[in-house]
Amino acid sequence: MRETEPLRKGNSLHKVDSLHKGDTLHSGHSLRKEDSLRKRITAAYLTFATVSSVFFAVIAALAVEGIEVRLVDERLEEVAAWAGPRHAGGLPVEMPAGLSYHLGNGIPRSLRPLEEGVHEVTVDGVDLHVLKGRNAEGEFAVVDHDSAYEKIELVVYSMFAVAFLGFMGFAVLLGRFLGNRIVNPIVELAGAVDAGVAELPLQERGDELGLLSRMIASHTAELQEFLDRERFFTGDVSHELRTPLTVIAGAAEVLLARTEHDPVLHAPAERIYRAARDASDITSMLLRLARSPERLEWTRMSAQALALEEVARCQGLVASRPLQLRFGGGADFSVHGVRELVQAAIGNLVRNACQYTEHGHVAVRLKGRSVIVEDTGPGLPPAARARLRGEPIPADARGSSGTGLGLGLVQRVCAHLGATLVLRESAAGSSIEIRFPALPGRTVDEAR
């Protein structure tokens, strides 16, 4: 058995209707914090600041190490090149302050294991730069006892750390500032659209936000005009049809009374009366659909009573046919809505099932907060199935009339009442379910 998603066409109609009623749809437009454009802009600036800082930190570290080689290592090499020949020639070797030159056994024991080259070692808590090498007189070591480079290096890296933190903080502030400048107008525009404000803000701006605001205003105006035309047309046509339908129904009642004993004429008169009554019901339903939901009288009614009434009304459709129409039971529940619309929605489903099912049964049952109409018929034609699901109508099925006006009106009624229409199909037949929303003032769990 396959179940459709909630019918998108009906949901779209509900949203379209709410535009000209001023209703808000806050529940369907919630924004998660992680999806916020403001947060994404801030994160982008923070990422840029981090990458830039790491890049410059690497360059700075290389520069500092290069300076160390230049200032310390080369200094030690120059001292060794100057002191070695003087020491070999027996000349006095007066070393600059903080530097010492050691040869052979004069090298301190702690420095003797060092390999040739420049080393940074700590002896008795003192940081030393040591150049270990070999000349004609043997091994030598030049020791820098008073190098302030380590302190300078610490100061430099501390300054880089402070600069990095400052840069990151500035990136966050700049990202939030630009995010607010960009996002706040969008939020303002979205709030105005959601509230149904007649004159949208930002239309005077010359940037992309102004263009967006003007396009939304233009599209909303076109949609409002279309909805007004549809509403006025529906109302006018319904009013014009009421009088001739009343005349037809009255004449049919007279014919029913006068042909009561003539079965040949009584059956056509009964069909005329039934068709006029159905057309009158559709006219009344169209009149109510043309109005805003808040202008209609909403009441609480028994779903079981409505289902039983429609089953009784449609028994004439299955008379003298190999088809059984029955009420399948189920726990009763209350429906909050316009009685005529709820009754018309259930009645249209039952009538369609009776008309398009040749044999077997049509059952109406209740389950949870749903009214389900099941039949053993061939199922919906492809065009009607696609229309109900909000899908494109197949090219080879465009000529199919489907199930006529009935299911389309049921969709409109469900959208008007906030209900959901669900289609299921299987090899044994099909079923259409109307899921009614929870009653006002009760949670979904309480309604179940």
Side-chain angles (χ1 to χ4, degrees):
M1 182 173 290
R2 181 178 59 180
E3 179 176 337
T4 67
E5 60 186 78
L7 296 178
R8 290 168 286 182
K9 182 177 179 182
N11 294 339
S12 300
L13 288 170
H14 178 61
K15 293 181 180 178
V16 168
D17 287 344
S18 67
L19 283 175
H20 66 83
K21 300 167 202 161
D23 294 340
T24 57
L25 299 172
H26 298 288
S27 60
H29 296 274
S30 59
L31 179 66
R32 298 180 300 176
K33 285 188 176 181
E34 56 269 24
D35 294 333
S36 172
L37 184 60
R38 183 186 293 106
K39 185 173 181 180
R40 293 182 182 181
I41 293 175
T42 303
Y45 269 89
L46 193 59
T47 303
F48 171 76
T50 303
V51 174
S52 301
S53 299
V54 171
F55 175 74
F56 286 112
V58 171
I59 293 179
L62 294 176
V64 170
E65 294 299 325
I67 294 173
E68 180 179 6
V69 172
R70 184 70 179 174
L71 293 181
V72 179
D73 298 4
E74 292 185 3
R75 180 188 179 202
L76 295 176
E77 291 175 359
E78 290 175 356
V79 169
W82 172 80
R86 291 181 68 85
H87 193 278
L91 298 175
V93 181
E94 296 180 1
M95 302 295 295
L99 293 175
S100 61
Y101 180 82
H102 305 276
L103 184 66
N105 294 329
I107 299 175
R109 292 181 180 276
S110 59
L111 304 181
R112 292 178 183 178
L114 296 178
E115 301 289 336
E116 292 186 6
V118 179
H119 304 276
E120 294 182 22
V121 296
T122 301
V123 179
D124 297 331
V126 179
D127 294 329
L128 304 174
H129 281 83
V130 180
L131 172 62
K132 191 78 176 295
R134 181 179 294 275
N135 55 22
E137 294 183 295
E139 276 192 325
F140 69 88
V142 180
V143 182
D144 186 353
H145 299 266
D146 194 28
S147 176
Y149 189 79
E150 293 297 333
K151 297 180 181 179
I152 297 174
E153 190 177 49
L154 179 61
V155 172
V156 171
Y157 281 128
S158 299
M159 292 179 63
F160 275 123
V162 172
F164 172 75
L165 294 177
F167 189 43
M168 297 294 287
F170 176 73
V172 172
L173 294 177
L174 182 61
R176 289 186 63 85
F177 173 74
L178 292 179
N180 289 333
R181 290 290 300 272
I182 295 174
V183 174
N184 285 348
I186 298 177
V187 174
E188 179 186 1
L189 179 60
V193 172
D194 195 27
V197 177
E199 187 69 21
L200 295 180
L202 310 179
Q203 296 191 49
E204 70 283 355
R205 296 179 57 155
D207 56 8
E208 290 82 355
L209 288 176
L211 176 62
L212 176 63
S213 179
R214 290 190 293 272
M215 293 299 294
I216 293 177
S218 174
H219 182 68
T220 303
E222 293 177 0
L223 190 60
Q224 179 71 45
E225 183 180 353
F226 169 77
L227 291 172
D228 289 340
R229 285 201 308 267
E230 181 189 19
R231 186 194 309 162
F232 293 146
F233 174 78
T234 303
D236 292 342
V237 170
S238 300
H239 276 296
E240 293 297 328
L241 288 177
R242 271 187 151 184
T243 299
L245 286 175
T246 303
V247 173
I248 294 173
E253 287 183 356
V254 173
L255 287 175
L256 284 174
R258 293 186 177 182
T259 59
E260 186 176 357
H261 302 292
D262 188 351
V264 177
L265 297 178
H266 188 78
E270 186 176 4
R271 287 198 298 271
I272 293 173
Y273 176 74
R274 188 186 305 119
R277 186 185 61 185
D278 292 343
S280 180
D281 291 342
I282 293 177
T283 301
S284 299
M285 181 167 54
L286 290 174
L287 280 173
R288 285 170 173 80
L289 286 176
R291 299 177 184 174
S292 300
E294 62 269 14
R295 297 176 59 187
L296 298 173
E297 183 179 354
W298 287 57
T299 59
R300 293 191 180 186
M301 64 207 81
S302 167
Q304 184 178 27
L306 292 175
L308 287 172
E309 183 176 348
E310 291 306 314
V311 168
R313 288 182 60 182
C314 295
Q315 288 296 335
L317 297 175
V318 299
S320 68
R321 294 174 57 192
L323 182 64
Q324 180 185 9
L325 173 61
R326 66 174 185 269
F327 177 69
D332 191 16
F333 61 92
S334 295
V335 177
H336 183 249
V338 183
R339 181 179 179 82
E340 291 81 0
L341 294 182
V342 178
Q343 190 171 12
I346 298 175
N348 270 279
L349 294 183
V350 176
R351 281 193 295 273
N352 279 331
C354 292
Q355 290 173 0
Y356 294 95
T357 303
E358 298 297 333
H359 54 80
H361 71 270
V362 174
V364 181
R365 62 185 180 90
L366 309 180
K367 181 181 179 181
R369 293 196 54 77
S370 300
V371 176
I372 305 173
V373 179
E374 300 173 329
D375 62 65
T376 55
L380 296 180
R385 188 184 304 114
R387 189 178 297 113
L388 281 177
R389 293 174 178 166
E391 300 172 351
I393 299 177
D396 56 350
R398 293 187 181 274
S400 173
S401 60
T403 54
L405 189 62
L407 285 181
L409 288 177
V410 174
Q411 277 188 281
R412 293 292 303 272
V413 170
C414 288
H416 210 69
L417 300 176
T420 305
L421 195 62
V422 177
L423 169 66
R424 293 189 182 92
E425 294 180 307
S426 66
S430 61
S431 70
I432 299 182
E433 173 184 353
I434 302 179
R435 294 177 181 173
F436 291 97
L439 294 178
R442 299 175 60 187
T443 63
V444 176
D445 291 337
E446 290 173 342
R448 290 175 180 172

